[in-house]
Amino acid sequence: MDFCKCIISISLFAILAQSVTSQNLSKCFFQKTCVECLDADFSCAWCTDENYGMYKSRCMTLSDIQASNCSSDKVETNKNFSKLTIIKKEPLRDYDREKLEAIQISPQRIKIQLGKLEAHTFHFTYKPAKNYPLDLYYLMDLTWSMKDDRDTLINMGDQLAKALANLTENYGLGFGSFIDKPIMPFVQTEEHRLKNPCSIEKQVCEPTYGFRHRLQITNNIDGFIEKLKTSNVSANLDNLEGGLDALMQVLVCDDRIGWGANTRKIVILATNGYMHMAGDGLLAGISERNDKQCHLSDNGEYLGSLIYDYPSLEEIYRVLGKSKTAVIFAVTDELQEYYKSMRDLMEEFTSVGLLQDDSSNILQLVETGYRDFVKRVEFTDNAPSYIQLSYLTDCGGIYKTPQEVNKCDNIEIGKEYDFFVEVRLVDYPSDLVSNLTVKIEEALISNEGVVLDIDIRQHCQCELDSEPVSGSEICIGNGDYSCGMCYCHSGWIGKRCECNLQNFDSSADLLNQCREEGELDELGPICSDRGECICGQCLCNPGFEGPHCECSQCIPISGVICSNHGECDCGACNCQNGWAGDECDCSTDQGTCKAPHKEELCSGQGECSCGRCLCSESYFGPYCEAMAGSESELCSYYDDCVRCAIHKKLGAKCDNLEAECKTKLGLYSAEFFDTLEDMLNCTARITHEEITCDFKYTYAFDNRKTLIKILNQDCSKTNVIATAFSIAVLTLLLGTLVMIIFKVKMVIEDRKLYQKFEKEQQNETSYEMQSPLYKSPISSFTVPKEMADSELK
């Protein structure tokens, strides 16, 4: 049963593989021009060889077109066109003071020749540079309630310089302030209130203004503090400010603000109020939409405050992306949720920080906001809709496997991050653009990125190399020859423009000759939709045949048609006697389903199909003769022949029995294996040299040959004396080795103890000589010389 399933699976796989090949072939076969051919499928190839034969299909798979004798140097493929070349690849480096630039992305320029089907993949590396320049613009709400904040900043001059220096050695600082539009209902318009909007507080302040640019970006911190000191507060009527008006001018007035060309740009917008949005200007009769242009006077005053409405968040978002500027909203606690909702709409470019009531934590906000933008990277591109770019990265090991993302968080300065980009041509541009430039760049880094010079295939190389030949002989003078094809003049059709339509009543009459008549005298499709009509005759696609391509060719399996047991007739196999099935692969001989010396098919426990038994549940074996958990009843039939094979392996003879086995089993073989995976379980008991061994075996059949598989078994007598002697010697050697190891260990430990004793003795003597308080426990006495002399006498 398992064998049958295997045969069926192989057959289905072969049919499926043939079907896939036929599909690819069909995709190629119907194409009329070179470009259409190559765009149909990546496997398609186009033959431009003049000697190839006009009545062959010029569009097929590469292998088929080569088999059709097309010259190898006259073949157009997708691989011939599609190329990727790196044009510029300067190494990554940190900020260079002399060149005033850093290189954080490499390579910088790539040229791609792109066909419709083949995608190109390349990779670029991003490395955040040390000391990358920072331009910081402090945009401050200078309404009356922010007076303390201004005074705090004035006292932070040195600390602000140190804070910026800790972030990067190359920094610049600019300053501007905003209030609101000086018109009702945003301010009171009485003359004395216009001159001094703080009169209600019995204080004096500046007249209300929209936005005032006060200091161009500079590294002069003293100049920044001086501008703060001379910037007085003002006031407006409502609790909403004109901060978006001011922010738009800061973003679009590049030269006036002083933004650098190769810098990271950050705006800190500090306020304790809400923002007027687009449409609020209508309250004052200002209806003209914000034009996103610079309107600063020579002294930095915003001139469009009473002309243009407040910008929308969508307009701010687009300008942030274009100018590559980040914004930190430094706001008080009660405003955080309001500004966080704005941040969620522009999260690539904005963040929100908590500002103390007197701005005393502004330095911390600057540092936190800067690091928040630096530690993340996001790449965008300006590819049109017909070019698709897909990104893949592991973010420097953050992901175990690369992810389909174009951004990373927790970026580290000086570490390299690899991004892989797939470029694919989805469709041809409607304006027939053949080359374009696409730039991949980081969302917050200006003038850096990867430039892609893309050439789109609009023509095959053969069309570019030579002009069409007008009135070519190949086209019998009735058409123009180009790239292997005849483009017929009016009134002529055919592969070589050989058919004169004047010889037919109509082109329909010509095509009708390629249609098959149906049962009701109705004409079918041209060439059964399986070929091409050439001058009233069908040129069939590969895999089809017949006058109208109405017949499918038989599918060869393993290179054989109808299993060599039949003949193909219009796509169907006519099988020889004794065979059946769609491929004539099913034997009708039921003798192979009968166990030896039995007439019952499949032991009465299954059905005979294609000459093999399909067993009922719980039964198995070639004849369904075995039941799960029990030994096959055929084991005894093969037992003598198995014993003979085992005796021969062990050196014994069984010539007569072997001859009987050949008579009994016919073609058979007996082989030994280290493992048996068959469910059949037979056992042959053998006595050899006074030792009894059990050999397990199984049996099977293949092409009327009996296959016996026997499990290897060691059935030799063990030498007891030699074994005992070996064990004794091994034990003696092991004991001697243990004693030697123990003796070496004792000697080493004794030497260590003696060295320790000598060291302690030296320490004791040294202590006695050095310490005046030490008294030796050993007493010594010297006999006086006089007494010694008298004793001698």
Side-chain angles (χ1 to χ4, degrees):
M1 183 172 65
D2 293 339
F3 181 83
C4 290
K5 289 181 179 178
C6 181
I7 291 295
I8 294 171
S9 299
I10 293 173
S11 300
L12 290 175
F13 177 79
I15 294 171
L16 179 61
Q18 180 70 20
S19 174
V20 171
T21 302
S22 298
Q23 288 177 4
N24 289 339
L25 190 62
S26 298
K27 287 180 183 179
C28 303
F29 202 82
F30 285 107
Q31 309 311 316
K32 307 299 182 184
T33 67
C34 178
V35 173
E36 289 178 0
C37 173
L38 299 186
D39 285 347
D41 191 87
F42 188 75
S43 64
C44 296
W46 180 268
C47 179
T48 65
D49 190 353
E50 296 180 6
N51 301 319
Y52 175 68
M54 295 302 295
Y55 294 99
K56 297 180 182 178
S57 174
R58 289 189 174 271
C59 186
M60 290 191 282
T61 62
L62 179 60
S63 57
D64 287 322
I65 213 164
Q66 289 174 338
S68 298
N69 299 319
C70 178
S71 177
S72 58
D73 60 342
K74 297 289 185 179
V75 178
E76 294 265 0
T77 66
N78 282 292
K79 290 184 178 179
N80 291 145
F81 178 80
S82 296
K83 294 178 182 177
L84 185 148
T85 308
I86 295 177
I87 304 300
K88 183 179 180 182
K89 188 176 182 179
E90 293 189 22
L92 301 166
R93 65 169 179 262
D94 292 329
Y95 185 74
D96 189 324
R97 287 181 176 274
E98 294 182 359
K99 296 183 179 180
L100 298 179
E101 66 175 8
I103 296 181
Q104 301 182 111
I105 300 173
S106 184
Q108 294 80 35
R109 198 172 199 97
I110 297 175
K111 183 175 182 180
I112 299 176
Q113 292 177 282
L114 198 60
K116 188 173 181 180
L117 296 178
E118 184 183 20
H120 278 296
T121 299
F122 66 91
H123 107 277
F124 67 87
T125 303
Y126 169 69
K127 179 183 178 183
K130 297 178 182 178
N131 294 317
Y132 197 79
L134 166 66
D135 282 349
L136 182 70
Y137 194 89
Y138 196 84
L139 181 58
M140 189 174 188
D141 175 2
L142 275 185
T143 53
W144 179 258
S145 58
M146 292 288 287
K147 183 176 183 299
D148 292 343
D149 300 75
R150 186 204 65 164
D151 296 339
T152 300
L153 277 178
I154 292 174
N155 297 323
M156 284 187 176
D158 293 340
Q159 298 176 48
L160 182 59
K162 290 179 180 178
L164 293 175
N166 287 334
L167 302 178
T168 175
E169 294 178 0
N170 307 291
Y171 64 85
L173 188 62
F175 174 59
S177 60
F178 63 89
I179 306 295
D180 205 349
K181 293 183 183 294
I183 190 172
M184 277 290 290
F186 310 123
V187 299
Q188 292 182 336
T189 55
E190 294 90 341
E191 185 176 352
H192 70 284
R193 293 287 176 83
L194 285 174
K195 292 181 178 179
N196 181 19
C198 301
S199 60
I200 192 172
E201 299 287 340
K202 296 182 180 181
Q203 299 288 335
V204 177
C205 60
E206 286 189 6
T208 304
Y209 56 88
F211 165 63
R212 189 168 292 162
H213 169 53
R214 298 179 179 272
L215 177 67
Q216 194 173 46
I217 292 176
T218 177
N219 58 5
N220 185 355
I221 297 296
D222 292 337
F224 174 78
I225 300 301
E226 190 61 32
K227 283 295 181 181
L228 273 174
K229 290 179 179 179
T230 58
S231 301
N232 294 321
V233 295
S234 184
N236 60 336
L237 187 60
D238 58 11
N239 194 32
L240 282 75
E241 323 296 3
L244 295 185
D245 254 352
L247 180 58
M248 178 62 78
Q249 293 303 298
V250 171
L251 296 177
V252 299
C253 298
D254 288 352
D255 295 337
R256 300 300 310 279
I257 300 299
W259 293 119
N262 299 303
T263 61
R264 186 180 294 276
K265 297 183 285 189
I266 297 179
V267 177
I268 296 180
L269 195 157
T271 182
N272 62 355
Y274 298 95
M275 292 290 168
H276 278 295
M277 301 287 183
D280 289 353
L282 294 174
L283 298 173
I286 302 174
S287 60
E288 190 165 348
R289 186 174 180 176
N290 193 290
D291 65 351
K292 296 180 285 187
Q293 301 296 319
C294 182
H295 297 287
L296 293 183
S297 67
D298 293 339
N299 60 358
E301 200 79 22
Y302 176 40
L303 300 177
S305 187
L306 300 180
I307 301 174
Y308 301 103
D309 189 12
Y310 301 99
S312 66
L313 291 181
E314 186 269 342
E315 289 170 329
I316 291 291
Y317 175 80
R318 292 187 180 278
V319 175
L320 285 173
K322 184 178 180 180
S323 63
K324 297 189 176 299
T325 307
V327 177
I328 303 171
F329 292 112
V331 298
T332 51
D333 184 47
E334 65 274 10
L335 300 178
Q336 280 212 88
E337 291 302 319
Y338 173 79
Y339 281 92
K340 283 181 179 178
S341 65
M342 292 174 59
R343 177 206 60 194
D344 293 342
L345 298 174
M346 305 180 289
E347 59 181 354
E348 300 98 317
F349 309 108
T350 61
S351 68
V352 178
L354 176 61
L355 183 70
Q356 299 296 336
D357 291 337
D358 60 352
S359 294
S360 57
N361 68 326
I362 191 63
L363 299 182
Q364 180 183 350
L365 287 184
V366 170
E367 182 176 357
T368 303
Y370 173 81
R371 298 194 186 282
D372 184 51
F373 287 116
V374 170
K375 74 178 182 180
R376 64 190 187 192
V377 63
E378 179 175 2
F379 287 96
T380 60
D381 57 75
N382 62 344
S385 59
Y386 52 85
I387 299 288
Q388 183 184 73
L389 269 64
S390 304
Y391 297 84
L392 201 69
T393 180
D394 66 353
C395 289
I398 294 177
Y399 302 116
K400 291 183 179 179
T401 57
Q403 303 294 308
E404 293 182 5
V405 294
N406 63 333
K407 60 183 179 180
C408 297
D409 294 322
N410 299 315
I411 294 292
E412 300 177 20
I413 300 294
K415 184 176 179 180
E416 294 185 1
Y417 298 85
D418 290 325
F419 287 81
F420 295 84
V421 184
E422 181 188 79
V423 185
R424 184 180 296 275
L425 177 64
V426 179
D427 202 356
Y428 285 109
S430 57
D431 53 1
L432 299 180
V433 172
S434 59
N435 53 72
L436 71 155
T437 298
V438 173
K439 188 172 184 180
I440 300 172
E441 52 189 355
E442 207 278 321
L444 291 175
I445 299 177
S446 300
N447 300 328
E448 278 200 80
V450 184
V451 176
L452 306 180
D453 296 321
I454 300 177
D455 290 339
I456 299 176
R457 176 176 59 208
Q458 298 283 13
H459 303 280
C460 284
Q461 191 61 41
C462 56
E463 296 170 303
L464 299 175
D465 290 343
S466 58
E467 295 289 332
V469 179
S470 180
S472 170
E473 293 182 1
I474 298 176
C475 307
I476 319 180
N478 302 320
D480 302 334
Y481 179 82
S482 176
C483 218
M485 289 288 292
C486 282
Y487 297 89
C488 300
H489 298 159
S490 177
W492 298 88
I493 62 172
K495 287 282 187 179
R496 300 185 63 187
C497 306
E498 70 275 25
C499 293
N500 189 346
L501 291 177
Q502 295 179 0
N503 297 332
F504 299 89
D505 293 337
S506 65
S507 59
D509 292 336
L510 179 64
L511 295 176
N512 286 340
Q513 297 185 34
C514 295
R515 299 175 186 267
E516 185 179 18
E517 291 187 6
E519 296 180 357
L520 301 177
D521 295 331
E522 293 182 356
L523 295 177
I526 297 173
C527 299
S528 305
D529 283 338
R530 295 171 173 176
E532 187 176 1
C533 185
I534 305 296
C535 267
Q537 294 184 338
C538 286
L539 177 65
C540 299
N541 296 343
F544 301 99
E545 58 188 6
H548 302 97
C549 306
E550 70 275 14
C551 296
S552 298
Q553 295 177 344
C554 293
I555 299 174
I557 297 178
S558 299
V560 177
I561 295 177
C562 300
S563 305
N564 280 338
H565 300 138
E567 295 181 354
C568 183
D569 181 14
C570 198
C573 287
N574 289 330
C575 301
Q576 301 169 354
N577 291 334
W579 295 93
D582 292 341
E583 301 297 330
C584 300
D585 55 351
C586 180
S587 173
T588 58
D589 183 9
Q590 293 187 332
T592 55
C593 294
K594 296 178 181 179
H597 305 296
K598 290 190 177 183
E599 293 299 321
E600 194 174 20
L601 293 176
C602 302
S603 305
Q605 305 297 339
E607 296 180 357
C608 184
S609 176
C610 293
R612 296 186 179 277
C613 287
L614 301 178
C615 302
S616 303
E617 187 176 0
S618 301
Y619 287 88
F620 63 95
Y623 307 110
C624 306
E625 72 279 13
M627 189 174 183
S630 62
E631 187 176 278
S632 168
E633 62 182 32
L634 285 181
C635 290
S636 59
Y637 182 77
Y638 299 104
D639 200 57
D640 290 341
C641 298
V642 171
R643 292 173 182 275
C644 177
I646 296 172
H647 280 301
K648 287 184 65 177
K649 183 184 179 185
L650 296 177
K653 294 183 179 181
C654 60
D655 294 337
N656 294 335
L657 185 57
E658 186 175 12
E660 292 178 8
C661 288
K662 289 181 180 180
T663 302
K664 181 179 181 180
L665 303 181
L667 290 175
Y668 89 99
S669 66
E671 299 179 10
F672 289 83
F673 297 86
D674 293 330
T675 57
L676 295 179
E677 297 179 356
D678 202 303
M679 292 177 63
L680 290 170
N681 184 12
C682 300
T683 303
R685 177 161 290 181
I686 301 295
T687 301
H688 176 68
E689 295 182 353
E690 301 180 358
I691 296 176
T692 301
C693 300
D694 288 335
F695 287 82
K696 295 186 179 299
Y697 67 92
T698 65
Y699 55 88
F701 304 93
D702 186 19
N703 292 330
R704 301 180 180 274
K705 180 179 180 181
T706 302
L707 306 176
I708 298 176
K709 300 179 180 180
I710 308 170
L711 184 65
N712 270 323
Q713 176 75 21
D714 185 7
C715 199
S716 58
K717 182 182 293 185
T718 304
N719 191 330
V720 178
I721 297 176
T723 302
F725 179 76
S726 299
I727 294 173
V729 172
L730 183 61
T731 303
L732 180 62
L733 291 175
L734 184 61
T736 303
L737 180 61
V738 170
M739 291 179 64
I740 292 173
I741 293 173
F742 180 75
K743 179 64 176 178
V744 171
K745 181 175 179 295
M746 292 293 293
V747 170
I748 293 173
E749 289 182 351
D750 286 346
R751 289 183 177 179
K752 285 183 178 180
L753 289 173
Y754 182 73
Q755 290 174 355
K756 182 178 180 181
F757 167 75
E758 286 185 329
K759 186 175 180 181
E760 289 178 349
Q761 189 177 33
Q762 291 175 358
N763 290 339
E764 179 181 350
T765 303
S766 173
Y767 185 77
E768 176 183 355
M769 297 296 293
Q770 295 176 6
S771 176
L773 301 178
Y774 177 78
K775 184 178 180 180
S776 175
I778 302 173
S779 299
S780 61
F781 178 80
T782 303
V783 178
K785 184 178 181 182
E786 294 82 1
M787 293 181 66
D789 291 343
S790 63
E791 287 294 332
L792 289 172
K793 290 178 179 180

